[in-house]
Amino acid sequence: MTGFSAQWLDLREAADQRARNRKLQRALAKHFDAQGRLTIVDLGCGTGANLRATAPLLGRDQHWTLVDRDQDLLDAAAQRLRSWADSADRKESQLVLSKGGKRIDVEFRRADLAGDLEAALGPKASLVTASALFDLASAAFISGLARAVANRQAAFYTVLSYDGDQRWTPEHASDAAMLDAFHTHQRRDKGLGPAAGPDAPATLSEAFSAAGYRVTEGDSAWRLGPGDATLIAELAGSFAAAVAETGLVNASTIATWSALTRAGAVVGHTDTLALPSHPDREVRRPSRDAETAG
Ligand SMILES: C[S@@+](CC[C@H](N)C(=O)[O-])C[C@H]1O[C@@H](n2cnc3c(N)ncnc32)[C@H](O)[C@@H]1O
């Protein structure tokens, strides 16, 4: 199992928020405009960053279920959401938050998505969402999820799926070999089957189109620069560690590559919004929205 530390998720949260595709955010907000209480399930919630970024786009009355297999991250999510909210109370097992005039009830569900996905999703949802999750999941898992979401006629919105584009400034002669090895690592089984890795956006798009959904994609690349030195250094370190685990690049090349200080990095991501098609309408092919985030 691959673990994620709360510190790493904290470090990336601001970059993630900056990178989210604005046009898809507006489309999501429009879809739910004027609807009453929304039931939202966030898969692989980590420390709750997806709620903090998505809840402001939605209506005044929201019920969130945050799902993760890692109890430490669920505990960190509860703590960070309390700090983020204008006010927070505990009501039975739920956190009742008030933020910007919205009421946001939050339940925490410890579950491994590789087990009972139906139980993880719960019986009904207006929206199933996730952030930075699906590059860890297999095509089979994603297809099963698309069917489960379609059975609930829920909307689906996922952000920051890695898309295979990774560029460093300055460049290094071993960048291409390192990236190939990194992608081999990305495709390893992380607990949800052989991972889609950089194919995650295309796999999501195909699975939700096949389930009869209208799919829109938007660019959400990280474009990191001088203000992101800590994140760039952490990113380069974990990238090199993943490459080393594959054994595909020799240790001295990895050491030389790692010795270079990077001033910038681009990491390609895609956001995906999939909405149930009206049953009388033809299913549309997915369209790629090229608007850059930010
Ligand atoms: C890259 S982190 C993203 C966390 C959070 N969504 C964010 O954007 O900050 C992936 C998250 O998925 C969770 N996760 C990975 N595999 C899982 C599984 N099989 N079942 C439940 N949670 C899983 C991890 O524990 C981690 O919190």
Side-chain angles (χ1 to χ4, degrees):
M1 145 174 167
T2 308
F4 293 89
S5 73
Q7 289 71 24
W8 164 247
L9 298 180
D10 287 346
L11 183 60
R12 62 175 290 170
E13 183 166 348
D16 284 347
Q17 291 242 20
R18 246 172 27 225
R20 284 168 172 251
N21 186 273
R22 300 291 181 257
K23 192 161 180 182
L24 256 63
Q25 288 184 323
R26 287 195 292 275
L28 178 75
K30 186 165 171 239
H31 178 73
F32 285 113
D33 191 30
Q35 289 196 27
R37 184 171 171 79
L38 298 179
T39 310
I40 303 143
V41 182
D42 181 21
L43 302 175
C45 65
T47 63
N50 192 28
L51 186 159
R52 288 186 286 281
T54 306
L57 306 171
L58 303 173
R60 296 174 64 83
D61 190 4
Q62 304 175 26
H63 180 283
W64 283 72
T65 302
L66 300 193
V67 182
D68 208 287
R69 66 183 171 190
D70 185 329
Q71 187 60 46
D72 289 344
L73 290 179
L74 290 169
D75 293 344
Q79 184 237 321
R80 281 160 183 65
L81 287 168
R82 278 179 172 278
S83 312
W84 168 80
D86 299 329
S87 70
D89 282 314
R90 195 157 262 289
K91 199 168 160 201
E92 292 155 15
S93 61
Q94 290 186 17
L95 209 50
V96 179
L97 307 177
S98 167
K99 176 76 176 176
K102 300 175 198 283
R103 176 185 166 133
I104 304 169
D105 296 345
V106 190
E107 254 181 74
F108 299 90
R109 183 172 294 154
R110 185 176 184 189
D112 188 337
L113 300 171
D116 188 348
L117 180 61
E118 288 295 318
L121 286 171
K124 67 179 181 125
S126 330
L127 171 66
V128 175
T129 184
S131 166
L133 178 70
F134 291 105
D135 31 275
L136 304 172
S138 64
F141 175 84
I142 291 170
S143 292
L145 174 70
R147 287 193 295 274
V149 171
N151 286 341
R152 290 162 175 78
Q153 282 297 287
F156 177 77
Y157 174 59
T158 191
V159 297
L160 296 148
S161 306
Y162 175 61
D163 72 4
D165 184 21
Q166 187 137 203
R167 282 167 281 147
W168 302 92
T169 307
E171 292 178 357
H172 185 280
S174 303
D175 281 352
M178 294 281 290
L179 188 57
D180 276 354
F182 178 71
H183 287 161
T184 299
H185 191 277
Q186 277 251 314
R187 291 193 166 89
R188 286 183 176 178
D189 189 337
K190 312 284 185 339
L192 294 170
D199 300 328
T203 306
L204 285 161
S205 179
E206 279 161 27
F208 278 89
S209 296
Y213 274 52
R214 288 175 290 130
V215 178
T216 313
E217 295 179 321
D219 174 61
S220 57
W222 280 353
R223 294 182 175 81
L224 306 178
D228 304 301
T230 311
L231 180 56
I232 293 171
E234 280 285 323
L235 186 66
S238 56
F239 177 81
V243 169
E245 276 182 34
T246 66
L248 293 172
V249 179
N250 67 53
S252 70
T253 303
I254 296 173
T256 315
W257 188 92
S258 300
L260 190 63
T261 302
R262 265 89 196 171
V266 174
V267 181
H269 297 118
T270 298
D271 293 356
T272 305
L273 176 66
L275 299 174
S277 295
H278 188 283
D280 298 336
R281 279 192 219 135
E282 194 189 338
V283 175
R284 293 215 315 249
R285 299 300 307 151
S287 64
R288 168 86 185 181
D289 184 285
E291 181 187 339
T292 49

